[in-house]
Amino acid sequence: MMNNYINKAVLFLKKLDASELKTFLLLYGISYCNKYINLNSFLDNYKEINLDELKNEAQNKLSCDIFQYLDEYSDSAIKILDWLAKNPPPETTEDILGTIYLVLSEEKKRKKLGEHYTRIDLINLIFTEYKIEENINKTIIDPACGSGNFLVIYVYRILSKYKNSPEILREIIEKIYSRKLITGVDIQEYTCLITKLRLLMTITKFSGEIRPNEKLPIFQLDSLSDDDSEVLKDNQYDIVATNPPYLRYHSLSEDKREAYKKRYFSAKGKFDLYTLFIEKSVKLSKNETGKVSLVCSNKFMTAAYGKSIRDYIKQNINLTKVLDLSDIFPFKAAVLSAVYFFEAPKRESINEPRWEKVIQENERLFVRQLGTVYLGDTWRYTGIKTEFVFKKILQQPKAKELKEYIKSILVGIQTTADDVFCKYMTREFIEKNYFEKELFFPMLRGKNLKKWGHHWTGDIEASDTFILYPYTEENGKTQRIQLEKYPNVMSYLLENKSILKQRTYIKEKGTKEWFEPWVERSHNTFKNMKILTPDLASECRFSLDTSGFFFNGTVYSIRLKESYELDDYKFLLGILNSNITLFIHKQLNPIHLHSKKYRFQSPVMKKYPIIFLNKRDSEYKKLVILVDDILRASCEGECLLEKEKELNRLVYKIYNLDQHDIGIIEEFLDIN
């Protein structure tokens, strides 16, 4: 029903000038409030409504602050009133106005702002945890309130409980207007207006105690920068509840980055904006009794950029629970989210935080406790049974971290201009343009990599191509080319010079020539034997490359130390593609994306506990032979599955695991 209403409103508004959105929002609010507080000028015959009179009455009876912005000279007001007469505002706590605004906003703008609004049922789950109706003296702030879901639901729940208690109701209304119950902050004008309207509509529904001459406590401010504002002072709120914007480091201006680095402990490395909101939320909460709940990306639990905020949390507040949202995907974003519950004061001895998962059944949300959250150097979810097996693997006498055996783990070439360097570089394109072929190399992307091997032809644009690599190898060293020596490539690059020069590191840093990629590698990186993995996969997809393929930034390579030979690579490949490694990876890095894919990146892979047997060991030889059979493609389908089962049994034996341990691992992998 609500989706149908929103879709009709969006279609209607798209026919109007974009500037009329504010008029629609305000008239929608008046139309709703008129059901409870009669406005004499809001006539049944909308064509006879005098907008000037309606504006004055709305200011005098509802809110002088909000309705001062109603344009009494709007060209579209009559059309809007006609639409509202035929589609009166429904009774719902769903965020109709915020959703309309979000849908109408350009997608680029939404991504730039990192806007994702929070599900109402999820907010109710959070507030049920806090038992908010039991104490009307609690103050709450949402420092990134958007269209106000947290604040509106907070007010709605309290007012609905006390709707038949006039004295308590008056007390609550007094607290609302005097900023003793709620405070909202957002950087956007429209979202602040929508929040005010939704709060006014909620108050109007439950109470006649409207205070038209007083302002609702919603402030258009930058929560991370406007420290001088009274509403953003530290140590003043009982509850901080928010869903902060998700903006990556590269989306922030250089000035913003530097300003944040001076102001926030957690602004280190290539931080994401939401981590600063975690720190700000902790500061806003009362030092001794404050509670904080944030709906945000779970990447900070394991990502390198999250170390500073993890350290800040450990030093300043207690994490008590994490609600894992990976099964309900509350936002249309690649990242997955969780709800983090914090409580003050900081205590040294506290139980490990609970790990719970939100499950949706028949449109209702339920919570299931799964285990705890381990707060080590990185954070990870742990179950009692799986943690026992994981520690048993880590404690194997012969096990050493992968970093002890390797020379390097490297990500591939990142051009920041794939359209120029590789997207169209098929065999046909290279030949048609008579390019100098010594600058072109077969390139693997993550999508080309399969478990054990790869598929590449060089004939498919955007997914299966060569790369133009503007470097030559001289005396074992990789050096930038002199363009004039390669006239056809030079002509092509000059045609694309305007694109290449616009790249940030070319414009701002000036350390590279305009035709160079962002991250280059020596030719030796590619020529040498290596194990490859896509950086994003739902399972272990390691493969052996002995052909000297180049690879891009969606691929990582593992190179062993010089003393290791081909059979050693095959042995390691068998370990890496086993169920044990997938189990280990999901313990070390339980954070996956919306697509149920995990990141396979250097910091996690270096921690894999690897047992490297002696070459004379019979189990070493058996594993190498098994991997050889698989690599020779001597089996496929059912035969391959049988070989992999045999390989897993052998790796379990190498790690000294019994049937009970194996059962726990395979049960975990079946449901994760």
Side-chain angles (χ1 to χ4, degrees):
M1 283 290 290
M2 291 306 104
N3 284 341
N4 184 45
Y5 188 94
I6 290 164
N7 290 335
K8 287 171 67 177
V10 168
L11 287 173
F12 168 70
L13 286 165
K14 282 183 175 179
K15 298 174 184 176
L16 306 181
D17 189 274
S19 62
E20 295 291 357
L21 175 59
K22 185 179 291 185
T23 302
F24 176 86
L25 297 173
L26 293 168
L27 290 176
Y28 181 101
I30 290 172
S31 179
Y32 181 91
C33 292
N34 185 60
K35 291 189 289 185
Y36 300 99
I37 296 178
N38 186 50
L39 300 176
N40 297 323
S41 53
F42 195 78
L43 304 175
D44 290 336
N45 185 352
Y46 64 89
K47 291 182 179 178
E48 296 180 5
I49 291 177
N50 182 311
L51 271 188
D52 191 50
E53 290 179 9
L54 181 62
K55 177 177 180 177
N56 287 334
E57 192 173 8
Q59 285 185 274
N60 292 328
K61 287 187 177 180
L62 298 174
S63 171
C64 184
D65 172 51
I66 294 174
F67 295 105
Q68 66 176 308
Y69 299 108
L70 179 61
D71 179 8
E72 62 269 43
Y73 304 109
S74 166
D75 293 332
S76 300
I78 298 301
K79 291 180 182 177
I80 294 170
L81 288 167
D82 179 31
W83 191 88
L84 288 169
K86 296 171 183 173
N87 303 275
E91 291 289 349
T92 180
T93 56
E94 292 297 324
D95 182 10
I96 288 177
L97 297 183
T99 306
I100 290 171
Y101 164 72
L102 204 60
V103 172
L104 287 171
S105 299
E106 296 177 18
E107 189 171 353
K108 280 187 179 179
K109 179 183 175 186
R110 295 207 307 270
K111 286 185 177 179
K112 186 176 180 181
L113 298 172
E115 288 181 325
H116 298 286
Y117 294 167
T118 318
R119 288 172 54 156
I120 300 298
D121 51 1
L122 182 57
I123 292 173
N124 274 315
L125 208 62
I126 294 168
F127 285 151
T128 298
E129 173 82 12
Y130 286 148
K131 301 177 182 177
I132 58 167
E133 294 91 344
E134 295 181 8
N135 190 337
I136 61 171
N137 295 312
K138 298 282 187 184
T139 57
I140 179 174
I141 185 173
D142 183 346
C145 69
S147 57
N149 277 351
F150 275 102
L151 301 175
V152 170
I153 297 304
Y154 193 79
V155 168
Y156 187 95
R157 287 179 60 148
I158 291 176
L159 290 179
S160 60
K161 178 173 182 179
Y162 297 104
K163 63 184 178 182
N164 297 320
S165 305
E167 288 188 14
I168 298 178
L169 214 54
R170 279 194 293 274
E171 181 186 350
I172 293 169
I173 302 301
E174 163 64 31
K175 288 178 181 294
I176 291 172
Y177 279 103
S178 61
R179 207 171 67 80
K180 293 178 180 176
L181 187 70
I182 61 167
T183 301
V185 177
D186 200 82
I187 201 168
Q188 300 300 314
E189 174 193 1
Y190 270 91
T191 52
C192 287
L193 175 62
I194 290 168
T195 301
K196 289 179 182 180
L197 279 168
R198 294 181 66 207
L199 286 170
L200 178 68
M201 289 155 56
T202 304
I203 294 168
T204 304
K205 174 182 174 66
F206 288 106
S207 170
E209 295 287 326
I210 301 299
R211 304 191 176 191
N213 295 321
E214 297 183 31
K215 293 182 179 181
L216 287 164
I218 307 301
F219 303 90
Q220 186 183 349
L221 297 167
D222 181 346
S223 289
L224 297 180
S225 301
D226 294 335
D227 291 339
D228 294 335
S229 171
E230 186 61 35
V231 302
L232 292 169
K233 297 293 184 187
D234 295 350
N235 185 29
Q236 61 171 313
Y237 296 98
D238 296 296
I239 298 172
V240 184
T242 191
N243 168 20
Y246 179 77
L247 278 178
R248 294 181 177 178
Y249 183 82
H250 296 296
S251 301
L252 304 172
S253 69
E254 192 69 35
D255 290 344
K256 280 285 188 186
R257 293 176 198 168
E258 293 308 311
Y260 291 149
K261 286 176 182 177
K262 292 176 183 176
R263 186 175 281 121
Y264 291 96
F265 176 88
S266 55
K268 294 182 175 66
K270 294 182 178 178
F271 59 88
D272 279 29
L273 197 68
Y274 75 91
T275 61
L276 308 190
F277 270 95
I278 298 175
E279 181 176 339
K280 182 64 179 179
S281 297
V282 172
K283 290 177 177 176
L284 287 168
S285 65
K286 290 181 178 177
N287 292 341
E288 294 301 317
T289 59
K291 297 180 186 295
V292 177
S293 62
L294 289 106
V295 185
C296 65
S297 165
N298 55 19
K299 281 183 67 178
F300 81 94
M301 292 174 62
T302 57
Y305 73 75
K307 184 179 187 310
S308 296
I309 190 59
R310 294 194 298 269
D311 290 344
Y312 181 86
I313 290 166
K314 287 180 185 178
Q315 295 165 18
N316 291 279
I317 201 165
N318 303 298
L319 176 65
T320 58
K321 182 169 75 171
V322 178
L323 270 183
D324 179 358
L325 305 180
S326 60
D327 278 4
I328 66 167
F329 308 136
F331 312 115
K332 292 180 180 178
V335 297
L336 289 182
S337 303
V339 186
Y340 295 86
F341 290 87
F342 305 97
E343 289 184 7
K346 178 63 185 171
R347 298 184 297 277
E348 290 305 320
S349 56
I350 187 170
N351 294 331
E352 284 189 326
R354 299 195 310 279
W355 166 35
E356 299 177 354
K357 179 167 280 194
V358 178
I359 310 295
Q360 184 164 335
E361 296 177 3
N362 299 322
E363 298 186 357
R364 291 189 61 193
L365 298 185
F366 299 89
V367 174
R368 181 181 300 158
Q369 183 159 354
L370 298 181
T372 60
V373 184
Y374 173 74
L375 304 181
D377 183 43
T378 57
W379 296 0
R380 56 185 175 84
Y381 302 136
T382 65
I384 295 173
K385 293 191 295 185
T386 53
E387 185 68 5
F388 170 80
V389 177
F390 181 57
K391 286 183 176 176
K392 184 173 181 178
I393 293 170
L394 293 178
Q395 292 166 2
Q396 289 297 311
K398 295 180 181 178
K400 295 181 183 177
E401 290 186 343
L402 179 60
K403 65 182 181 182
E404 300 296 323
Y405 302 107
I406 62 172
K407 181 175 182 179
S408 65
I409 297 184
L410 294 175
V411 70
I413 302 164
Q414 294 167 296
T415 71
T416 65
D418 282 0
D419 283 4
V420 176
F421 289 103
C422 56
K423 182 176 181 180
Y424 303 104
M425 293 300 170
T426 60
R427 203 182 314 271
E428 180 183 1
F429 187 80
I430 293 167
E431 291 175 356
K432 183 175 68 175
N433 287 280
Y434 300 101
F435 289 146
E436 292 81 4
K437 292 185 179 179
E438 60 265 40
L439 299 182
F440 292 83
F441 300 89
M443 186 188 77
L444 294 172
R445 297 168 170 85
K447 65 182 74 173
N448 301 124
L449 298 177
K450 314 299 179 186
K451 191 175 184 180
W452 305 108
H454 62 265
H455 181 269
W456 183 89
T457 65
D459 296 328
I460 306 172
E461 284 185 3
S463 63
D464 195 344
T465 67
F466 293 79
I467 183 171
L468 165 55
Y469 202 55
Y471 302 91
T472 57
E473 186 180 25
E474 298 177 20
N475 300 320
K477 292 185 178 180
T478 295
Q479 297 181 337
R480 183 173 60 227
I481 63 170
Q482 296 179 29
L483 265 184
E484 59 273 13
K485 291 185 177 181
Y486 305 91
N488 294 335
V489 165
M490 180 174 72
S491 177
Y492 169 78
L493 289 173
L494 286 170
E495 287 174 13
N496 291 281
K497 187 172 182 178
S498 60
I499 297 172
L500 298 174
K501 287 192 73 173
Q502 286 303 308
R503 294 174 294 168
T504 303
Y505 63 91
I506 297 296
K507 287 198 302 182
E508 297 179 2
K509 305 299 182 184
T511 56
K512 288 179 176 287
E513 288 291 344
W514 59 270
F515 57 84
E516 290 188 82
W518 176 32
V519 175
E520 79 276 10
R521 299 290 181 199
S522 75
H523 287 71
N524 279 333
T525 298
F526 306 108
K527 288 195 304 184
N528 285 302
M529 187 159 41
K530 54 194 177 287
I531 290 175
L532 301 177
T533 177
D535 78 326
L536 194 60
S538 56
E539 61 171 354
C540 293
R541 281 168 47 193
F542 293 92
S543 60
L544 180 63
D545 175 42
T546 58
S547 301
F549 270 94
F550 278 49
F551 52 93
N552 76 351
T554 63
V555 175
Y556 277 81
S557 73
I558 300 172
R559 284 180 59 195
L560 292 167
K561 291 177 180 177
E562 302 295 347
S563 57
Y564 290 99
E565 300 174 340
L566 178 59
D567 279 356
D568 299 315
Y569 275 89
K570 291 176 181 177
F571 178 85
L572 177 60
L573 184 63
I575 298 290
L576 292 177
N577 274 335
S578 70
N579 280 351
I580 275 189
T581 298
L582 184 57
F583 173 77
I584 289 166
H585 188 90
K586 290 184 176 184
Q587 298 304 309
L588 291 172
N589 182 29
I591 308 306
H592 60 82
L593 303 186
H594 191 300
S595 57
K596 292 280 187 180
K597 291 182 177 179
Y598 292 80
R599 290 285 185 190
F600 284 78
Q601 295 175 316
S602 176
V604 173
M605 292 190 289
K606 284 181 178 179
K607 293 181 181 178
Y608 290 169
I610 302 295
I611 294 178
F612 232 120
L613 296 178
N614 189 287
K615 289 186 179 185
R616 293 186 295 274
D617 194 300
S618 62
E619 287 164 354
Y620 175 98
K621 294 175 183 177
K622 287 178 185 176
L623 188 55
V624 171
I625 291 170
L626 269 172
V627 172
D628 250 336
D629 286 346
I630 293 170
L631 294 181
R632 282 199 302 267
S634 57
C635 59
E636 56 185 27
E638 289 297 322
C639 175
L640 177 60
L641 288 175
E642 286 304 314
K643 289 288 183 184
E644 288 183 335
K645 286 180 182 177
E646 188 179 346
L647 180 142
N648 279 317
R649 287 193 292 270
L650 182 55
V651 176
Y652 286 140
K653 185 178 179 183
I654 290 170
Y655 280 79
N656 295 310
L657 299 183
D658 57 33
Q659 285 303 312
H660 180 257
D661 303 327
I662 294 168
I664 290 171
I665 290 174
E666 296 192 347
E667 179 187 10
F668 172 83
L669 294 178
D670 281 343
I671 63 176
N672 287 276

